[in-house]
Amino acid sequence: MVYNEANTSVDSYLLVDEKGVIIKQLDTTIYYICFTQDTYGYFAVFGMKNFKGWAAIDANEKILFNVYNASNGEPNPDILVEGKIRIVNSNNLIGFANSNGQVIIKPQFESVSTFYKGKAIIGKSCKEVPWDNHESENGCHHYSIVCRKHGYINTKGVVIKLGNFTFEKIMKEIGWKSPEEQYWN
């Protein structure tokens, strides 16, 4: 677990065990923001100086994997859903790690949703389509991912179906819901 300890002069991040005992204080010249929820036990998600994207680190500060950015055009690292978090490799392919920080589905998908009831929607032959006239003042560019083919996988990463289907058709077929829909419904 990670706690952000604010004091009057500087913020710090503390790695603590399940009993709340401090394991170590992290160097804020390396770690500039933490996105971890208290429920992560084996890794924490950080923004790190001189590191592209979001890093999942263990208690020894070893980088386990890069965490997928869940929102196009703004900083938003993925979260655990059904005990899995999306990860990304240097080729921008997406896979999954479990809550223990172990890669369980190697990065291989151009586009993939979170899991819902053991299924995740995948996309193939995808491209980024910029939003018309949308650039924020800080230079963030927003875009949508558009794929020619969609399908879905199981929790082992096995492709169950893939073809000339829309995301919406696959979503309806498997009854998939986003984490936001799951939370609000």
Side-chain angles (χ1 to χ4, degrees), residues 6-139:
N7 60 36
T8 55
S9 60
V10 68
D11 283 342
S12 63
Y13 297 107
L14 304 174
L15 295 180
V16 299
D17 67 15
E18 62 277 353
K19 295 177 184 170
V21 175
I22 296 171
I23 298 169
K24 68 169 57 174
Q25 181 173 342
L26 298 178
D27 183 350
T28 55
T29 64
I30 298 172
Y31 304 97
Y32 64 87
I33 190 165
C34 178
F35 285 97
T36 297
Q37 304 164 347
D38 288 341
T39 55
Y40 294 20
Y42 295 93
F43 65 90
V45 177
F46 278 93
M48 296 172 58
K49 294 181 175 115
N50 302 317
F51 184 88
K52 185 179 179 199
W54 310 111
I57 65 164
D58 66 12
N60 296 314
E61 297 184 66
K62 176 185 172 201
I63 297 173
L64 303 173
F65 46 80
N66 289 40
V67 175
Y68 176 74
N69 195 64
S71 183
N72 298 326
E74 60 190 22
N76 186 18
D78 205 28
I79 59 171
L80 281 169
V81 176
E82 293 191 8
K84 294 168 218 39
I85 189 168
R86 288 176 289 182
I87 63 174
V88 63
N89 69 12
S90 60
N91 294 322
N92 290 322
L93 295 177
I94 307 163
F96 290 88
N98 65 19
S99 58
N100 293 330
Q102 302 162 322
V103 175
I104 56 170
I105 300 173
K106 71 178 178 72
Q108 59 192 289
F109 304 105
E110 292 177 61
S111 176
V112 64
S113 71
T114 57
F115 276 90
Y116 179 70
K117 295 188 177 179
K119 296 176 182 139
I121 301 173
I122 59 171
K124 188 169 180 151
S125 301
C126 305
K127 65 180 179 178
E128 295 176 358
V129 178
W131 294 0
D132 289 336
N133 301 319
H134 192 276
E135 183 176 335
S136 68
E137 47 203 56
N138 66 359

